[in-house]
Amino acid sequence: MGRLLAILIWLITAGTAAFFAWSKTKTGWWFPEAISEHAAAMDSQFNLTWAVVAVAFFGAQAALGYAVWKFRSKGNERATYSEGNTRIEIVLVAITGIVFIALAITGQRVWANLHLNQAPPDAVQIEATGQQFNWYFRHPGADGRFGSTSPKLYDDTDNSVGARPGPLGIDPKDPSGKDDIFGQTLVIPINRPINLTLRAKDVTHNFYAPALRLKQDAVPGLKINLHFTATKEGKYEIACAELCGQLHHQMRAYMRVVSQAEFEKWLSENAPK
Amino acid sequence: MFSRRMIAVFLLALAVVGSAACGGNKEETAAPAAAGPTWKPTGNEGNVTGTIAFAGAAPAPKKLDTSNDGACGEAFANDVLVADGKLQNVFVYVKSGLPADANFEISATEVTLDQKGCVYMPRVLGIQAGQPLKIVNSDQTNHNIHPVPKTNREWNESQLKGQAPIIKKFAKAETQIPVKCNMHSWMLAHINVVAHPFFAVSGADGSFSIKGLPPGDYELEAWHERFGAKTLKVSVAAKADAKADFSFDAAKAYNAGSLKVQPALVLP
Amino acid sequence: MSDQVQTSHAAPKGFIRKYIFSTDHKVIGIQYFFLALVAALIGMLMSLLIRLRLAWPTERWPMLETIFPEGFKDGLMQPEFYLAMVTMHGTIMVFMVLTTAPQSGFGNYFLPIQIGARDMAFPVLNALSFWLTAVSFLVLIAALFVVGGAPLGGWTFYPTLSAIPSAGPGQALGADLWIVSIALFCVASLLGALNFITTTLNMRTSGMTLMRMPLSCWGWFTTAVIALLAFPVLLAGGILLLLDRNVGTGFFIPSGLVVSGKLIEGGGGSTILWQHLFWFFGHPEVYIAILPGMGATSHILATFARKPVFGHKAMVVAMFAIGLLGFFVWGHHMFISGMNPSVAIAFSVLTLVIGVPSAIKTFNWLGTLWGARIRFTTPMLFAIGFVSLFVAGGVTGLVLGQTALDVVFHDTHFVTGHFHLIMGVAAIFGIFAATYYWFPKMFARTMNETLGKLHFVLTFVGVYAIFIPFHVLGIAGHPRRYADSSGYEFLQALDPLHVVITIAAFATAAAQVIFLVNFFWSLFKGKRAEANPWEATTLEWSTPTPVPHENFGEVLPVVHHDPYEYSVPGATKDYVMQTEPNSF
């Protein structure tokens, strides 16, 4: 049984390695294409961590398999009596401690860029609002200011271009809201920093854009800022990653990354008449 | 020792509790019966007919943003539908004047609420308490149906692509129950549950007719989701037609949204 | 402490006093064990329903419709039913299985015996704990059958989804019952924890110093300390949520919410507050589930390695370090919740620090096997499997504990894979190891070794086949708690993986039938067990089998040795019982 178990552990370990290696070569079985400025740093931090994970996993499983193979009972022979080895213990604590904490600290750079630094002042301001089970995205229009909104004004039934108050409850009397533009698709210009303000109307949602390597809860009662820069044009998917009700899995929106010219054209086409 | 008997008893107890819990959900079906006798037509009944006029310009067609679901296709806002100065989707019903204790026969005919092109068809419907409502999903997408009543039981069910119709009943009379699909947030219908069969919804030409009313004096209410409710007194003579015309004004009583306030404190 | 006078009671005579409302810790331990067994079967069946939906989301199951008419309308599994299953599977497994079996089940039975006590410190309290847990379980099951259905907010039950009844189906009475059940469970666990701590500190027999306690006792003791500090916080949170739902207090509900077109009045609360309260409990809960398994694994590894545990003191320190640090890392569940991002950095560093004591434990288990003469009994196989799975589940914590990478992996199936390996199946392997190991003592019969080994091999391969692919789903970005991924282009390619996982899950579930057959057959027909079939050293093996009322005869045992004196050079046998007088 000892040999069988050792082989089993080794086979599982090798199988796991092979499975991950194979998955990496299959389209759609590894990371989605990355299209944001910070994604490269995130992916390289993952690769570094994944290497440590692999060493720890294979090291421990190989050693476990070896011990099981080598130290199976034979006849009446006795085991080696040993109560431990403090020196090895201390060395191990030092090594794992240093590696783990180093990983934790190197990982913070990307995080700090994302969350501790503010978006540059010329960033494109967009507000994302989650509700069961839709996303709405609002641009402030030519005046650069969002009109005030009120929950009492929410009118879900009319989400046509320029609708007031519309699903976001934009106050028709507020002049800064006159030129606000909103829709269910997030349209952003390429290579420009975007400052996204997340809101939620009912329950906690999560703005999850796999291609941007971004995920952030949209919390009722809070406005949460998130900034990023998209570096490739195209149409991408946005999902909800916080359980928000029975059709949580259908809370999908699209994000279109377009050229600056196209972005301006889109803004003028969708401006309230 | 104790093991075998104890285990047997313990497992038995769990089995009993387990099977007792398997009751399942009971749907509310019966409308509460009033104290009085069942009302029967005598042959003297009359009708009320009328039209809903609309003063002001008809709103321009508004194309909804359905871009989050490709299966929806193009959809237009249908909250205010006006043709030739006549207003569609006004719910008209006998608000008072009927004997309070009368029991009206509950129609077994199904009232259909269809989801087609991610819009409710019809947008406004009337139904008797206890009458079956048949909810159909004609779309190639998943919906959820979520009525938010005040006195009836609230429910919220998914209806998936290709799923058979759902049959529901409302136990209590209650008008203006908003029905939402949370998946397609623009989808809104209003269900009006009435204890008697004397109600109608104005058609595309703005006309309505309530048939088979016993002779008497009644108060009618006409309600539109954007323009609110209006009442009118009408007398119905034996075997005669009475007229009841309503008029709504575009400039007045624009009822933005349909927010209902939930009480903050519910004390038992 | 050890010289504590223990009064002797006569064994109760009546059937009900003896087997149902018993205050004997052994009976209560077995009651907990069977409660967990029933819960585990229910939870496992729910997971199979979950897998059905994920592999074939648009398939019709008319046969299941006859069993669950509401859940399978027109044969199609409704997304609300799927989410209810996800919620109930998580709740049942975490509370009723992983918290109940290893700690309350085996702990109740063996802690007093292993430290040489006649019973727990507070036997009546002990019975009360069990019956509260049983009521809690029934209330939880009742939530499945009430109007509106079972709650669908996930086992984390985040408001405002869980706080506002209109926010979803199953968020009506079902959600209230869920909260009541969890609140009862908190009280039961709290009483249990008090009992365990008092028993460990006060009831040890003569010579049983703290460092002479078996590591299994250290596991139960550490877990009890954690439970004492963690459960009250969840209890408080649950009561606040119940008030929010029923009297409109708004602790967790901010102002100005509109749910399905209905404006929610009141408010002024914070949804993130619940997350803090929940995870302050929730993260230590992970250790509540795994620490007794660690203790049992250490205990069993030493027995069948025929060696003392490598670094006994380091194991105790590591266990307590994990328990202590476990209270400072709850924020890693909330990196992207809207919590202050600077605080997230502190939580992240502390989270990776907790990897260090975990690495010590793994290393010491390997050290225990090094130079051993391993006897490959079924409990030993499961203990070795525990080590393997603990490593496999633990290493991915290095990914998830980092703030920046959590942005990518949060709420994806990578997390599902991670926690199922480490707190799900690793803990279950601990339970299996303990079951096979202590069965002869608990039920006075032995389980069949051939069936046991078959069960191990199939389960060991099966759980890897289920949960390794989850990591790939997560890397590809697949969010968890999705009833259907067909709406997303970037998830299309993953469909075959879901089918593979589902097949592996059904096969692994089928393998558990072998365990059930072996268990129940052995219960009634198994070979009569000797007092010390494994040639082990600790006190539970020094009492006769079956264990008499009050565990030991007239005189309590006196302890002379460390717990794992195997292969001592010069000794006549390859093991020295703790009770053996000093001259051997």
Side-chain angles (χ1 to χ4, degrees):
Chain A
M1 193 66 208
R3 289 201 182 114
L4 177 69
L5 179 60
I7 290 168
L8 206 58
I9 291 172
W10 285 331
L11 274 181
I12 286 172
T13 312
T16 303
F19 178 69
F20 279 119
W22 180 59
S23 300
K24 216 171 162 172
T25 64
K26 273 180 72 89
T27 39
W29 282 35
W30 207 252
F31 289 104
E33 182 189 16
I35 60 142
S36 63
E37 228 166 41
H38 66 269
M42 241 173 210
D43 288 1
S44 74
Q45 177 68 19
F46 173 78
N47 290 335
L48 175 68
T49 310
W50 202 234
V52 176
V53 166
V55 168
F57 178 72
F58 295 122
Q61 302 286 8
L64 184 65
Y66 176 78
V68 165
W69 179 284
K70 173 98 201 240
F71 302 114
R72 57 191 194 278
S73 73
K74 299 163 192 128
N76 286 328
E77 208 182 308
R78 282 204 190 169
T80 323
Y81 184 84
S82 149
E83 293 196 314
N85 184 328
T86 316
R87 193 178 300 164
I88 296 181
E89 208 96 59
I90 291 168
V91 170
L92 179 87
V93 171
I95 294 174
T96 51
I98 290 167
V99 172
F100 289 3
I101 293 171
L103 269 184
I105 290 169
T106 51
Q108 304 307 335
R109 252 182 322 172
V110 191
W111 176 259
N113 266 333
L114 207 59
H115 282 289
L116 301 186
N117 301 345
Q118 295 298 312
D122 64 334
V124 179
Q125 302 291 327
I126 301 174
E127 181 195 75
T129 305
Q131 73 177 77
Q132 286 178 330
F133 302 97
N134 294 94
W135 289 104
Y136 280 108
F137 302 97
R138 178 158 71 127
H139 299 255
D143 64 354
R145 283 165 55 208
F146 291 109
S148 60
T149 63
S150 162
K152 292 204 169 75
L153 295 175
Y154 292 159
D155 180 8
D156 283 345
T157 62
D158 183 4
N159 70 1
S160 59
V161 167
R164 293 292 180 272
L168 296 173
I170 303 167
D171 188 351
K173 295 189 194 96
D174 182 1
S176 51
K178 289 259 184 284
D179 57 353
D180 286 9
I181 298 156
F182 73 89
Q184 296 200 48
T185 302
L186 174 59
V187 181
I188 55 170
I190 188 171
N191 292 331
R192 276 188 68 189
I194 312 289
N195 188 31
L196 199 63
T197 306
L198 294 174
R199 296 175 51 191
K201 282 163 76 170
D202 39 30
V203 303
T204 306
H205 300 280
N206 185 301
F207 176 87
Y208 171 35
L212 293 174
R213 301 285 186 276
L214 265 191
K215 199 180 278 146
Q216 174 63 49
D217 276 1
V219 182
L222 290 184
K223 287 184 176 183
I224 298 170
N225 280 317
L226 198 61
H227 62 90
F228 62 91
T229 305
T231 54
K232 191 171 173 218
E233 287 183 28
K235 190 179 178 190
Y236 306 95
E237 286 173 311
I238 293 169
C240 177
E242 193 67 73
L243 179 56
C244 62
Q246 81 232 74
L247 296 180
H248 165 53
H249 63 282
Q250 285 180 207
M251 192 168 159
R252 189 218 37 218
Y254 286 109
M255 172 175 71
R256 277 173 51 215
V257 183
V258 297
S259 66
Q260 178 66 26
E262 210 176 320
F263 178 62
E264 277 159 21
K265 185 166 154 262
W266 180 85
L267 284 180
S268 67
E269 277 170 7
N270 285 277
K273 306 287 172 322
Chain B
M1 231 196 86
F2 51 79
S3 55
R4 273 187 277 174
R5 256 173 92 195
M6 201 207 81
I7 291 155
V9 167
F10 192 79
L11 289 178
L12 192 71
L14 271 164
V16 167
V17 171
S19 54
C22 290
N25 293 347
K26 300 275 181 293
E27 197 52 57
E28 295 170 62
T29 44
T38 303
W39 179 81
K40 286 200 176 63
T42 57
N44 278 336
E45 286 73 20
N47 304 321
V48 176
T49 57
T51 52
I52 315 287
F54 186 75
K62 286 180 287 191
K63 187 166 170 281
L64 298 170
D65 181 357
T66 58
S67 60
N68 72 339
D69 192 339
C72 289
E74 273 195 351
F76 289 86
N78 63 349
D79 50 342
V80 182
L81 293 178
V82 177
D84 300 330
K86 302 286 187 286
L87 184 59
Q88 195 185 339
N89 282 343
V90 174
F91 178 71
V92 187
Y93 74 111
V94 175
K95 194 177 183 190
S96 61
L98 288 162
D101 61 348
N103 274 321
F104 295 95
E105 199 187 331
I106 297 164
S107 168
T109 316
E110 287 165 347
V111 178
T112 302
L113 178 65
D114 194 2
Q115 298 154 102
K116 202 170 184 181
C118 301
V119 171
Y120 284 117
M121 308 287 267
R123 186 179 174 98
V124 176
L125 64 82
I127 191 168
Q128 245 184 304
Q131 188 179 358
L133 173 69
K134 179 181 171 190
I135 301 160
V136 182
N137 181 3
S138 306
D139 283 332
Q140 288 304 304
T141 187
N142 304 336
H143 290 287
N144 75 312
I145 305 109
H146 187 183
V148 189
K150 288 199 210 77
T151 54
N152 279 286
R153 187 171 73 77
E154 181 174 343
W155 50 268
N156 179 358
E157 284 179 18
S158 303
Q159 191 171 29
L160 305 180
K161 183 167 73 177
Q163 188 181 319
I166 299 173
I167 306 290
K168 285 283 174 183
K169 285 173 184 173
F170 291 89
K172 298 170 199 151
E174 177 184 355
T175 55
Q176 305 168 25
I177 302 174
V179 181
K180 282 207 59 150
C181 170
N182 299 100
M183 184 57 223
H184 308 97
S185 56
W186 59 88
M187 288 177 73
L188 182 69
H190 281 95
I191 294 179
N192 297 279
V193 187
V194 188
H196 53 72
F198 308 115
F199 55 82
V201 177
S202 67
D205 60 352
S207 72
F208 72 91
S209 83
I210 299 172
K211 293 197 169 70
L213 261 175
D217 295 330
Y218 299 102
E219 188 183 26
L220 293 188
E221 183 177 276
W223 174 81
H224 187 273
E225 61 176 288
R226 290 291 189 191
F227 307 110
K230 295 195 165 185
T231 52
L232 195 67
K233 297 235 191 290
V234 56
S235 292
V236 178
K239 295 183 184 172
D241 280 4
K243 283 295 268 181
D245 293 332
F246 291 87
S247 166
F248 287 91
D249 190 340
K252 277 186 201 152
Y254 187 78
N255 180 16
S258 53
L259 290 180
K260 306 288 184 292
V261 174
Q262 176 175 276
L265 203 62
V266 188
L267 290 174
Chain C
M1 41 170 278
S2 48
D3 52 355
Q4 170 107 6
V5 179
Q6 300 198 355
T7 47
S8 185
H9 301 280
K13 289 283 178 302
F15 178 79
I16 290 188
R17 286 298 307 275
K18 203 168 167 186
Y19 301 127
I20 307 295
F21 295 107
S22 171
T23 56
D24 184 335
H25 69 102
K26 297 187 289 295
V27 176
I28 295 172
I30 289 176
Q31 286 173 327
Y32 267 119
F33 177 86
F34 277 100
L35 178 79
L37 186 64
V38 171
L41 289 175
I42 295 174
M44 188 178 76
L45 291 176
M46 286 176 167
S47 73
L48 296 181
L49 291 173
I50 294 170
R51 286 312 319 167
L52 273 189
R53 166 93 204 186
L54 287 173
W56 302 286
T58 54
E59 193 67 38
R60 281 170 208 265
W61 310 93
M63 226 172 74
L64 288 169
E65 191 184 358
T66 57
I67 308 171
F68 308 103
E70 292 289 312
F72 286 80
K73 277 188 225 107
D74 199 18
L76 292 161
M77 193 195 289
Q78 301 295 304
E80 47 266 43
F81 181 80
Y82 164 84
L83 287 174
M85 287 301 111
V86 168
T87 305
M88 296 303 271
H89 165 77
T91 311
I92 288 177
M93 286 304 199
V94 169
F95 291 97
M96 303 300 166
V97 180
L98 298 178
T99 310
T100 300
Q103 175 76 1
S104 311
F106 292 109
N108 249 311
Y109 200 110
F110 287 104
L111 176 74
I113 306 185
Q114 284 192 335
I115 62 171
R118 296 202 184 274
D119 204 320
M120 294 293 268
F122 311 114
V124 177
L125 203 63
N126 203 14
L128 186 64
S129 296
F130 170 74
W131 284 104
L132 270 177
T133 309
V135 171
S136 154
F137 179 60
L138 293 180
V139 172
L140 189 63
I141 296 299
L144 282 166
F145 300 100
V146 294
V147 171
L152 49 65
W155 86 280
T156 54
F157 232 59
Y158 280 7
T160 49
L161 179 61
S162 61
I164 300 171
S166 273
Q171 299 302 90
L173 184 58
D176 286 325
L177 289 178
W178 187 95
I179 300 171
V180 168
S181 160
I182 297 309
L184 288 172
F185 192 88
C186 288
V187 174
S189 300
L190 201 55
L191 299 180
L194 281 171
N195 218 341
F196 272 66
I197 293 171
T198 315
T199 306
T200 312
L201 293 180
N202 272 356
M203 311 273 287
R204 278 171 288 127
T205 187
S206 172
M208 179 59 81
T209 61
L210 282 173
M211 289 319 284
R212 275 184 181 166
M213 285 200 309
L215 285 171
S216 44
C217 293
W218 274 105
W220 294 317
F221 178 57
T222 314
T223 302
V225 174
I226 298 173
L228 182 74
L229 299 173
F231 274 107
V233 179
L234 181 64
L235 178 61
I239 292 170
L240 297 184
L241 188 57
L242 205 57
L243 290 174
D244 268 13
R245 293 177 51 82
N246 293 294
V247 293
T249 43
F251 296 111
F252 304 123
I253 305 175
S255 319
L257 298 194
V258 174
V259 174
S260 271
K262 192 156 78 172
L263 182 67
I264 310 298
E265 227 182 48
S270 156
T271 65
I272 296 183
L273 174 62
W274 166 266
Q275 299 186 24
H276 281 295
L277 294 174
F278 183 86
W279 288 116
F280 186 88
F281 149 81
H283 196 77
E285 165 62 31
V286 174
Y287 301 112
I288 291 175
I290 197 80
L291 282 177
M294 286 181 172
T297 297
S298 308
H299 190 75
I300 293 164
L301 282 180
T303 305
F304 297 109
R306 314 307 293 168
K307 270 187 76 202
V309 167
F310 187 90
H312 186 90
K313 204 174 279 178
M315 290 299 252
V316 172
V317 172
M319 200 126 64
F320 248 86
I322 291 174
L324 185 73
L325 280 169
F327 279 101
F328 299 100
V329 299
W330 81 87
H332 70 221
H333 297 271
M334 300 170 57
F335 287 154
I336 60 163
S337 67
M339 177 182 75
N340 181 346
S342 312
V343 177
I345 294 178
F347 278 122
S348 168
V349 174
L350 282 164
T351 300
L352 290 216
V353 168
I354 215 170
V356 177
S358 309
I360 292 177
K361 296 215 71 107
T362 308
F363 179 74
N364 286 4
W365 286 323
L366 287 173
T368 306
L369 293 178
W370 223 260
R373 286 295 168 263
I374 304 170
R375 297 179 183 172
F376 290 99
T377 58
T378 307
M380 185 59 167
L381 296 180
F382 275 99
I384 292 169
F386 176 95
V387 177
S388 173
L389 288 162
F390 181 75
V391 170
V395 285
T396 47
L398 293 176
V399 177
L400 292 166
Q402 294 183 39
T403 45
L405 296 181
D406 187 65
V407 170
V408 179
F409 291 109
H410 185 93
D411 259 348
T412 64
H413 277 309
F414 196 87
V415 181
T416 321
H418 162 75
F419 75 75
H420 270 98
L421 279 179
I422 196 157
M423 90 174 273
V425 287
I428 295 278
F429 267 53
I431 297 172
F432 277 136
T435 306
Y436 282 105
Y437 181 72
W438 280 315
F439 188 92
K441 189 53 77 175
M442 292 168 84
F443 302 109
R445 289 174 187 272
T446 44
M447 286 178 79
N448 182 295
E449 277 287 304
T450 313
L451 286 179
K453 282 172 180 155
L454 185 64
H455 172 224
F456 166 77
V457 171
L458 294 176
T459 309
F460 191 53
V461 175
V463 293
Y464 271 109
I466 296 168
F467 293 111
I468 290 294
F470 267 92
H471 294 82
V472 170
L473 288 179
I475 290 172
H478 197 315
R480 56 196 281 223
R481 294 167 173 162
Y482 266 28
D484 182 354
S485 55
S486 60
Y488 293 88
E489 282 152 40
F490 80 104
L491 299 176
Q492 290 306 295
L494 296 167
D495 288 352
L497 212 44
H498 272 310
V499 176
V500 168
I501 295 173
T502 299
I503 291 169
F506 273 85
T508 313
Q512 304 318 303
V513 175
I514 301 174
F515 169 75
L516 291 175
V517 167
N518 191 359
F519 184 89
F520 286 103
W521 185 83
S522 305
L523 206 54
F524 299 103
K525 297 269 184 259
K527 192 163 69 69
R528 293 258 173 221
E530 307 152 33
N532 187 4
W534 310 123
E535 300 187 311
T537 51
T538 44
L539 293 187
E540 76 266 35
W541 305 110
S542 67
T543 66
T545 296
V547 185
H549 183 67
E550 307 215 312
N551 306 340
F552 304 98
E554 291 291 300
V555 199
L556 282 176
V558 178
V559 170
H560 300 282
H561 298 282
D562 283 345
Y564 306 115
E565 292 293 88
Y566 292 101
S567 303
V568 181
T572 45
K573 289 179 293 178
D574 84 329
Y575 65 105
V576 180
M577 302 282 291
Q578 284 192 288
T579 48
E580 215 154 302
N582 266 326
S583 51
F584 45 75

